[in-house]
Coordinates of all heavy atoms in Angstrom, one line a residue:
M273 N 0.8 -1.2 0.0 CA 0.0 0.0 0.0 C 0.9 1.3 0.0 O 1.9 1.3 0.7 CB -0.9 -0.1 1.2 CG -2.0 0.9 1.2 SD -3.2 0.5 2.4 CE -4.0 2.0 2.7
P274 N 0.5 2.3 -0.8 CA 1.4 3.5 -0.9 C 1.3 4.3 0.4 O 0.3 4.3 1.0 CB 0.9 4.2 -2.1 CG -0.5 3.7 -2.2 CD -0.5 2.3 -1.8
K275 N 2.4 4.9 0.7 CA 2.5 5.7 1.9 C 1.9 7.1 1.6 O 2.1 7.6 0.4 CB 4.0 5.9 2.3 CG 4.5 4.6 2.8 CD 5.9 4.8 3.3 CE 6.5 3.4 3.7 NZ 7.8 3.5 4.3
R276 N 1.1 7.6 2.5 CA 0.5 8.9 2.3 C 1.5 10.0 2.4 O 2.4 10.0 3.2 CB -0.5 9.2 3.4 CG -1.8 8.3 3.2 CD -2.8 8.7 4.2 NE -2.4 8.3 5.6 CZ -3.0 8.6 6.7 NH1 -4.1 9.4 6.6 NH2 -2.6 8.2 7.9
I277 N 1.4 11.0 1.6 CA 2.2 12.2 1.7 C 1.2 13.4 1.8 O 0.3 13.6 1.1 CB 3.0 12.4 0.3 CG1 4.0 11.2 0.2 CG2 3.8 13.7 0.4 CD1 4.7 11.2 -1.2
L278 N 1.5 14.2 2.9 CA 0.7 15.4 3.2 C 1.6 16.6 3.1 O 2.8 16.6 3.3 CB 0.1 15.3 4.6 CG -0.8 14.0 4.9 CD1 -1.2 14.0 6.3 CD2 -2.0 14.0 3.9
Q279 N 0.9 17.8 2.9 CA 1.6 19.0 2.8 C 1.0 20.0 3.9 O -0.2 20.0 4.0 CB 1.4 19.7 1.4 CG 2.2 20.9 1.2 CD 2.2 21.4 -0.3 OE1 2.0 20.5 -1.1 NE2 2.2 22.7 -0.5
G280 N 1.9 20.7 4.6 CA 1.4 21.6 5.6 C 2.4 22.6 6.0 O 3.5 22.7 5.4
V281 N 2.1 23.3 7.1 CA 3.0 24.4 7.6 C 3.5 24.1 8.9 O 2.7 23.6 9.8 CB 2.1 25.8 7.6 CG1 3.0 26.9 8.1 CG2 1.6 26.1 6.2
V282 N 4.7 24.3 9.2 CA 5.4 24.0 10.5 C 4.8 25.1 11.5 O 4.9 26.3 11.3 CB 6.9 24.1 10.4 CG1 7.5 23.8 11.8 CG2 7.4 23.1 9.4
T283 N 4.3 24.6 12.6 CA 3.7 25.4 13.7 C 4.7 25.5 14.9 O 4.6 26.4 15.6 CB 2.4 25.0 14.1 OG1 2.4 23.6 14.6 CG2 1.3 25.2 13.0
S284 N 5.5 24.4 15.1 CA 6.4 24.4 16.2 C 7.6 23.6 15.8 O 7.6 22.6 15.2 CB 5.7 23.8 17.4 OG 6.7 23.6 18.5
D285 N 8.8 24.2 16.2 CA 10.1 23.4 16.0 C 10.9 23.4 17.3 O 12.1 23.3 17.3 CB 10.9 24.1 14.9 CG 11.3 25.5 15.3 OD1 10.7 26.1 16.1 OD2 12.2 26.0 14.6
K286 N 10.2 23.6 18.5 CA 10.9 23.7 19.8 C 11.6 22.4 20.2 O 12.5 22.4 21.0 CB 10.0 24.2 20.8 CG 9.4 25.6 20.5 CD 8.7 26.1 21.8 CE 8.0 27.5 21.6 NZ 8.8 28.4 20.8
N287 N 11.0 21.2 19.8 CA 11.6 20.0 20.3 C 12.8 19.5 19.4 O 12.9 19.9 18.2 CB 10.5 18.9 20.2 CG 9.4 19.1 21.2 OD1 9.6 19.5 22.3 ND2 8.2 19.0 20.7
E288 N 13.7 18.8 20.0 CA 14.9 18.3 19.2 C 14.4 17.2 18.3 O 13.8 16.3 18.6 CB 15.8 17.8 20.2 CG 17.3 17.5 19.7 CD 18.0 18.8 19.4 OE1 17.6 19.8 20.0 OE2 18.8 18.8 18.6
Q289 N 14.8 17.4 16.9 CA 14.5 16.5 15.9 C 13.0 16.2 15.6 O 12.7 15.3 15.1 CB 15.2 15.2 16.1 CG 16.7 15.3 16.0 CD 17.4 14.0 16.0 OE1 16.8 12.9 16.4 NE2 18.6 13.9 15.6
T290 N 12.2 17.1 16.1 CA 10.7 17.0 15.9 C 10.1 18.4 15.5 O 10.4 19.4 16.1 CB 10.0 16.6 17.3 OG1 10.7 15.4 17.7 CG2 8.6 16.3 17.0
I291 N 9.2 18.3 14.5 CA 8.4 19.5 14.2 C 6.9 19.1 14.3 O 6.6 18.0 14.1 CB 8.8 20.1 12.8 CG1 8.6 19.0 11.7 CG2 10.2 20.6 12.8 CD1 8.7 19.6 10.3
T292 N 6.1 20.2 14.5 CA 4.7 20.0 14.5 C 4.2 20.6 13.2 O 4.4 21.8 12.9 CB 4.0 20.6 15.7 OG1 4.6 20.1 16.9 CG2 2.5 20.4 15.7
V293 N 3.4 19.9 12.4 CA 2.9 20.3 11.1 C 1.4 20.4 11.1 O 0.8 19.4 11.5 CB 3.4 19.4 10.0 CG1 3.0 19.9 8.6 CG2 4.9 19.3 10.0
L294 N 1.0 21.6 10.7 CA -0.5 21.8 10.6 C -0.9 21.4 9.2 O -0.5 22.1 8.3 CB -0.9 23.2 11.0 CG -2.4 23.5 11.0 CD1 -3.1 22.9 12.2 CD2 -2.7 25.0 11.0
V295 N -1.8 20.4 9.0 CA -2.2 20.0 7.6 C -3.7 20.4 7.5 O -4.5 20.0 8.4 CB -2.0 18.5 7.4 CG1 -2.6 18.1 6.1 CG2 -0.5 18.2 7.5
E296 N -4.0 21.2 6.5 CA -5.4 21.6 6.3 C -6.0 20.8 5.1 O -5.4 20.8 4.1 CB -5.5 23.1 6.1 CG -6.8 23.7 6.0 CD -6.8 25.2 5.8 OE1 -6.7 25.9 6.8 OE2 -6.9 25.6 4.6
R297 N -7.2 20.4 5.3 CA -7.9 19.7 4.2 C -9.2 20.4 4.0 O -9.9 20.9 4.9 CB -8.1 18.2 4.3 CG -9.0 17.8 5.5 CD -9.0 16.3 5.7 NE -10.2 15.9 6.5 CZ -11.3 15.5 6.0 NH1 -11.5 15.4 4.7 NH2 -12.3 15.2 6.7
R298 N -9.6 20.5 2.7 CA -10.9 21.1 2.3 C -11.8 20.1 1.7 O -11.3 19.2 0.9 CB -10.6 22.3 1.4 CG -9.9 23.4 1.9 CD -9.6 24.4 0.9 NE -8.7 25.5 1.4 CZ -9.0 26.7 1.3 NH1 -9.9 27.2 0.5 NH2 -8.3 27.6 1.8
F299 N -13.0 20.1 2.0 CA -14.0 19.2 1.4 C -15.4 19.8 1.4 O -15.6 20.8 2.1 CB -14.0 17.9 2.2 CG -14.5 18.0 3.7 CD1 -15.8 17.8 4.0 CD2 -13.6 18.4 4.6 CE1 -16.2 17.9 5.3 CE2 -14.0 18.5 5.9 CZ -15.2 18.3 6.3
K300 N -16.2 19.3 0.5 CA -17.5 19.8 0.4 C -18.4 19.1 1.4 O -18.4 17.9 1.5 CB -18.0 19.6 -1.0 CG -19.3 20.3 -1.3 CD -19.7 20.3 -2.8 CE -18.8 21.3 -3.5 NZ -19.5 22.2 -4.3
H301 N -19.2 19.9 2.1 CA -20.1 19.3 3.1 C -21.2 18.5 2.4 O -21.8 18.9 1.4 CB -20.8 20.4 4.0 CG -21.5 19.9 5.2 ND1 -22.8 19.4 5.1 CD2 -21.2 19.8 6.4 CE1 -23.2 19.0 6.3 NE2 -22.2 19.2 7.1
P302 N -21.4 17.2 2.8 CA -22.4 16.4 2.1 C -23.8 16.9 2.0 O -24.5 16.7 1.0 CB -22.4 15.1 2.9 CG -21.6 15.3 4.1 CD -20.9 16.6 4.0
L303 N -24.3 17.6 3.0 CA -25.6 18.1 3.0 C -25.7 19.6 2.6 O -26.5 19.9 1.7 CB -26.3 17.9 4.4 CG -27.7 18.3 4.5 CD1 -28.6 17.5 3.6 CD2 -28.1 18.2 6.0
L304 N -24.8 20.4 3.1 CA -24.9 21.8 2.9 C -24.2 22.3 1.6 O -24.4 23.4 1.1 CB -24.3 22.6 4.0 CG -25.0 22.3 5.4 CD1 -24.3 23.1 6.5 CD2 -26.5 22.7 5.3
K305 N -23.4 21.4 1.0 CA -22.7 21.7 -0.2 C -21.7 22.9 -0.1 O -21.4 23.5 -1.1 CB -23.6 21.9 -1.4 CG -24.6 20.9 -1.6 CD -24.0 19.5 -1.9 CE -25.1 18.5 -2.2 NZ -24.8 17.2 -1.7
K306 N -21.3 23.2 1.1 CA -20.4 24.3 1.4 C -19.0 23.7 1.6 O -18.8 22.7 2.1 CB -20.9 25.0 2.7 CG -20.0 26.2 3.0 CD -20.4 26.8 4.3 CE -19.4 27.9 4.8 NZ -19.8 28.5 6.0
T307 N -18.0 24.5 1.1 CA -16.6 24.1 1.3 C -16.2 24.2 2.8 O -16.4 25.4 3.3 CB -15.7 24.8 0.4 OG1 -16.0 24.7 -0.9 CG2 -14.2 24.3 0.6
V308 N -15.8 23.2 3.4 CA -15.4 23.2 4.8 C -13.9 23.0 5.0 O -13.4 22.1 4.3 CB -16.2 22.1 5.6 CG1 -15.9 22.1 7.1 CG2 -17.7 22.2 5.4
R309 N -13.3 23.8 5.9 CA -11.8 23.6 6.1 C -11.7 22.9 7.5 O -12.3 23.2 8.5 CB -11.2 25.0 6.3 CG -11.2 25.7 5.0 CD -10.3 27.0 5.0 NE -10.2 27.6 6.3 CZ -9.4 28.6 6.6 NH1 -8.6 29.1 5.6 NH2 -9.4 29.2 7.8
S310 N -10.9 21.8 7.4 CA -10.6 21.0 8.6 C -9.1 20.9 8.7 O -8.4 20.7 7.7 CB -11.3 19.7 8.4 OG -10.9 18.8 9.4
S311 N -8.6 21.0 9.9 CA -7.1 20.9 10.1 C -6.8 19.9 11.2 O -7.6 19.7 12.1 CB -6.6 22.3 10.4 OG -7.1 22.8 11.7
K312 N -5.6 19.4 11.1 CA -5.0 18.5 12.1 C -3.5 18.6 12.2 O -2.9 19.0 11.2 CB -5.4 17.0 11.6 CG -5.0 15.9 12.6 CD -5.5 14.6 12.1 CE -5.0 13.6 13.2 NZ -5.4 12.2 12.8
K313 N -3.1 18.4 13.3 CA -1.6 18.6 13.6 C -0.9 17.2 13.7 O -1.4 16.3 14.2 CB -1.3 19.3 14.9 CG -1.7 20.7 14.9 CD -1.3 21.4 16.2 CE -1.6 22.9 16.1 NZ -1.2 23.6 17.5
Y314 N 0.2 17.1 13.0 CA 1.0 15.9 13.0 C 2.4 16.2 13.5 O 2.9 17.3 13.3 CB 1.1 15.3 11.6 CG -0.2 14.9 10.9 CD1 -0.9 15.7 10.1 CD2 -0.6 13.6 11.1 CE1 -2.2 15.3 9.6 CE2 -1.8 13.1 10.6 CZ -2.5 14.0 9.8 OH -3.7 13.5 9.3
R315 N 3.0 15.3 14.2 CA 4.3 15.5 14.7 C 5.2 14.6 13.8 O 5.0 13.5 13.5 CB 4.5 15.0 16.2 CG 3.7 16.0 17.1 CD 3.6 15.5 18.5 NE 4.9 15.2 19.2 CZ 5.6 16.1 19.8 NH1 5.1 17.3 19.9 NH2 6.7 15.8 20.4
A316 N 6.2 15.3 13.2 CA 7.1 14.7 12.2 C 8.6 14.7 12.7 O 9.0 15.6 13.3 CB 6.9 15.4 10.9
H317 N 9.3 13.7 12.2 CA 10.7 13.6 12.5 C 11.5 14.5 11.5 O 11.4 14.4 10.4 CB 11.2 12.1 12.4 CG 12.5 11.9 12.8 ND1 13.0 12.1 14.1 CD2 13.7 11.5 12.1 CE1 14.3 11.7 14.2 NE2 14.7 11.4 13.0
D318 N 12.4 15.4 12.1 CA 13.3 16.2 11.4 C 14.7 16.0 11.8 O 15.1 16.6 12.8 CB 12.8 17.7 11.7 CG 13.7 18.7 10.9 OD1 14.4 18.3 10.0 OD2 13.7 19.9 11.4
E319 N 15.3 15.1 11.1 CA 16.7 14.7 11.5 C 17.7 15.7 11.8 O 18.4 15.8 12.8 CB 17.3 13.6 10.5 CG 18.5 13.0 10.9 CD 18.3 11.9 12.0 OE1 17.3 11.2 11.9 OE2 19.1 11.8 12.9
A320 N 17.7 16.7 10.9 CA 18.8 17.7 10.9 C 18.3 19.1 11.6 O 19.1 20.0 11.6 CB 19.2 18.0 9.5
N321 N 17.2 19.1 12.1 CA 16.6 20.4 12.7 C 16.7 21.5 11.7 O 17.0 22.6 12.1 CB 17.4 20.7 14.0 CG 17.0 19.8 15.1 OD1 15.8 19.4 15.2 ND2 17.9 19.5 15.9
Q322 N 16.3 21.2 10.4 CA 16.6 22.3 9.4 C 15.3 23.2 9.2 O 15.4 24.2 8.6 CB 17.0 21.7 8.1 CG 16.1 20.7 7.5 CD 16.7 20.1 6.2 OE1 17.8 20.3 5.9 NE2 15.8 19.3 5.5
F323 N 14.1 22.7 9.6 CA 12.9 23.4 9.3 C 12.5 24.3 10.5 O 12.5 23.9 11.6 CB 11.7 22.4 8.9 CG 12.1 21.6 7.7 CD1 12.5 20.3 7.8 CD2 12.1 22.2 6.4 CE1 12.8 19.5 6.7 CE2 12.4 21.4 5.3 CZ 12.7 20.1 5.4
K324 N 12.0 25.5 10.1 CA 11.6 26.4 11.2 C 10.2 26.8 11.1 O 9.5 26.4 10.1 CB 12.4 27.8 11.0 CG 13.9 27.6 11.0 CD 14.4 27.0 12.4 CE 15.9 26.7 12.5 NZ 16.2 25.8 13.5
T325 N 9.6 27.4 12.1 CA 8.2 27.8 12.1 C 7.8 28.7 10.9 O 8.6 29.6 10.6 CB 7.9 28.6 13.4 OG1 8.3 27.7 14.5 CG2 6.4 28.9 13.5
G326 N 6.8 28.3 10.3 CA 6.3 29.0 9.1 C 6.7 28.4 7.7 O 6.1 28.7 6.7
D327 N 7.6 27.4 7.8 CA 8.0 26.7 6.6 C 6.9 25.8 6.1 O 6.2 25.2 6.8 CB 9.2 25.9 6.8 CG 10.5 26.7 7.0 OD1 10.4 27.9 6.8 OD2 11.5 26.2 7.5
A328 N 6.7 25.7 4.7 CA 5.8 24.8 4.1 C 6.6 23.5 3.8 O 7.6 23.6 3.1 CB 5.2 25.3 2.9
V329 N 6.1 22.4 4.3 CA 6.8 21.1 4.2 C 5.9 20.0 3.7 O 4.7 20.1 3.8 CB 7.5 20.7 5.5 CG1 8.6 21.6 6.0 CG2 6.5 20.5 6.7
R330 N 6.6 18.9 3.3 CA 5.8 17.7 2.9 C 6.3 16.6 3.8 O 7.5 16.5 4.1 CB 6.2 17.3 1.5 CG 5.5 18.1 0.4 CD 5.4 17.4 -0.9 NE 4.5 18.2 -1.6 CZ 4.6 18.4 -2.9 NH1 5.6 17.9 -3.6 NH2 3.7 19.1 -3.6
I331 N 5.3 15.9 4.3 CA 5.7 14.7 5.3 C 5.1 13.4 4.7 O 4.1 13.5 3.9 CB 5.1 15.0 6.7 CG1 3.5 15.2 6.7 CG2 5.7 16.2 7.3 CD1 2.9 15.5 8.0
I332 N 5.8 12.3 5.1 CA 5.5 11.1 4.5 C 5.3 10.0 5.7 O 6.0 10.2 6.7 CB 6.4 10.5 3.5 CG1 6.0 9.2 2.8 CG2 7.8 10.3 4.1 CD1 6.8 8.9 1.6
E333 N 4.4 9.2 5.6 CA 4.2 8.1 6.6 C 5.4 7.3 6.8 O 6.1 7.0 5.8 CB 3.0 7.2 6.2 CG 1.7 7.6 6.7 CD 0.6 6.6 6.3 OE1 0.6 6.1 5.3 OE2 -0.2 6.3 7.2
C334 N 5.7 6.8 8.0 CA 6.8 5.9 8.2 C 6.6 5.1 9.4 O 5.5 5.2 10.1 CB 8.1 6.8 8.5 SG 8.1 7.7 9.9
A335 N 7.5 4.2 9.7 CA 7.3 3.4 10.9 C 7.4 4.2 12.1 O 8.1 5.3 12.1 CB 8.4 2.3 10.9
P336 N 6.9 3.8 13.2 CA 6.9 4.8 14.4 C 8.3 5.1 14.9 O 9.2 4.2 15.1 CB 6.2 3.9 15.5 CG 5.3 3.0 14.8 CD 6.0 2.7 13.5
V337 N 8.6 6.3 15.1 CA 9.9 6.8 15.6 C 9.8 7.0 17.1 O 10.8 6.7 17.8 CB 10.3 8.1 14.9 CG1 11.6 8.6 15.4 CG2 10.3 8.0 13.4
S338 N 8.7 7.4 17.6 CA 8.5 7.5 19.0 C 7.0 7.3 19.3 O 6.2 7.0 18.4 CB 8.9 8.9 19.5 OG 8.1 9.9 19.1
K339 N 6.6 7.7 20.5 CA 5.2 7.5 20.9 C 4.2 8.3 20.0 O 3.1 7.9 19.7 CB 5.0 7.9 22.4 CG 3.6 7.8 22.9 CD 3.5 8.3 24.3 CE 2.0 8.3 24.8 NZ 1.9 8.9 26.2
S340 N 4.6 9.5 19.6 CA 3.7 10.3 18.9 C 4.1 10.6 17.4 O 3.4 11.2 16.7 CB 3.5 11.7 19.6 OG 4.8 12.3 19.7
K341 N 5.3 10.2 17.1 CA 5.8 10.5 15.7 C 5.7 9.3 14.8 O 6.2 8.2 15.0 CB 7.3 10.9 15.7 CG 7.5 12.2 16.3 CD 8.9 12.8 16.0 CE 10.0 12.1 16.7 NZ 11.3 12.7 16.6
R342 N 4.9 9.5 13.7 CA 4.7 8.5 12.7 C 4.9 9.0 11.3 O 4.6 8.4 10.3 CB 3.2 7.9 12.7 CG 2.7 7.4 14.1 CD 3.3 6.1 14.4 NE 2.7 5.5 15.7 CZ 3.2 5.7 16.9 NH1 4.2 6.6 17.1 NH2 2.6 5.2 18.0
W343 N 5.5 10.2 11.2 CA 5.7 10.8 9.9 C 7.2 11.4 9.9 O 7.8 11.7 11.0 CB 4.8 12.1 9.9 CG 3.3 11.7 9.8 CD1 2.5 11.4 10.9 CD2 2.5 11.5 8.7 NE1 1.3 11.0 10.5 CE2 1.2 11.1 9.2 CE3 2.8 11.5 7.3 CZ2 0.2 10.8 8.2 CZ3 1.7 11.3 6.5 CH2 0.4 10.9 7.0
T344 N 7.7 11.5 8.7 CA 9.0 12.0 8.5 C 8.9 13.1 7.4 O 8.2 13.0 6.5 CB 10.0 10.9 8.0 OG1 9.9 9.8 8.9 CG2 11.4 11.4 7.8
V345 N 9.8 14.2 7.6 CA 9.8 15.3 6.7 C 10.5 14.8 5.4 O 11.6 14.2 5.5 CB 10.5 16.5 7.2 CG1 10.6 17.6 6.2 CG2 9.8 17.0 8.5
V346 N 9.9 15.1 4.3 CA 10.6 14.7 3.0 C 11.3 15.9 2.4 O 12.5 15.8 2.3 CB 9.5 14.2 2.0 CG1 10.1 13.8 0.7 CG2 8.6 13.1 2.5
T347 N 10.6 16.9 2.1 CA 11.2 18.1 1.5 C 10.4 19.3 1.9 O 9.3 19.2 2.5 CB 11.2 18.1 0.0 OG1 9.9 17.9 -0.5 CG2 12.0 17.0 -0.5
E348 N 11.0 20.5 1.6 CA 10.2 21.7 1.8 C 9.4 21.9 0.6 O 9.7 21.7 -0.6 CB 11.2 22.9 1.8 CG 10.5 24.2 2.2 CD 11.5 25.2 2.8 OE1 12.7 24.8 3.1 OE2 11.1 26.3 3.1
A349 N 8.0 22.1 0.8 CA 7.1 22.2 -0.2 C 7.3 23.5 -1.1 O 7.5 24.6 -0.5 CB 5.7 22.1 0.3
S350 N 7.1 23.4 -2.4 CA 7.2 24.6 -3.2 C 5.8 25.3 -3.1 O 4.7 24.8 -3.3 CB 7.4 24.2 -4.7 OG 6.5 23.2 -5.1
A351 N 5.9 26.6 -2.9 CA 4.7 27.4 -2.6 C 4.1 27.9 -4.0 O 4.7 28.0 -5.0 CB 5.0 28.6 -1.8

């Protein structure tokens, strides 16, 4: 099964080798037919501590690195 790749914005880089990424998804409400914005935060592994708050990044699913980290940073997303 292919690994999911998500794109989001770094909201926190205070932890060592960890960043928090806010991923926003948009979908049409089934009944109201209005576009709804939904967001979720993921904790991702950043080996080199190279990404800072506000950076747009891509994250990919991986084997568990810690209790809360199941994602790894792939690259900086092109805006």
Side-chain angles (χ1 to χ4, degrees):
M273 195 162 158
K275 296 183 178 183
R276 289 185 292 169
I277 298 175
L278 301 177
Q279 185 171 331
V281 178
V282 178
T283 56
S284 172
D285 63 343
K286 295 192 186 316
N287 297 312
E288 194 69 26
Q289 295 188 340
T290 304
I291 59 173
T292 304
V293 181
L294 182 75
V295 175
E296 186 179 276
R297 67 187 195 95
R298 294 170 184 232
F299 61 95
K300 190 171 284 233
H301 191 280
L303 183 63
L304 302 177
K305 309 299 185 217
K306 179 183 175 181
T307 302
V308 182
R309 294 189 330 173
S310 171
S311 62
K312 185 174 179 181
K313 287 184 178 179
Y314 295 94
R315 291 167 62 85
H317 186 64
D318 178 16
E319 187 74 43
N321 286 323
Q322 63 182 8
F323 298 104
K324 303 297 175 203
T325 304
D327 291 348
V329 295
R330 286 202 167 142
I331 55 176
I332 189 169
E333 273 184 315
C334 66
V337 180
S338 72
K339 178 182 175 182
S340 59
K341 289 198 285 187
R342 307 285 187 271
W343 298 82
T344 305
V345 180
V346 182
T347 56
E348 190 156 352
S350 55

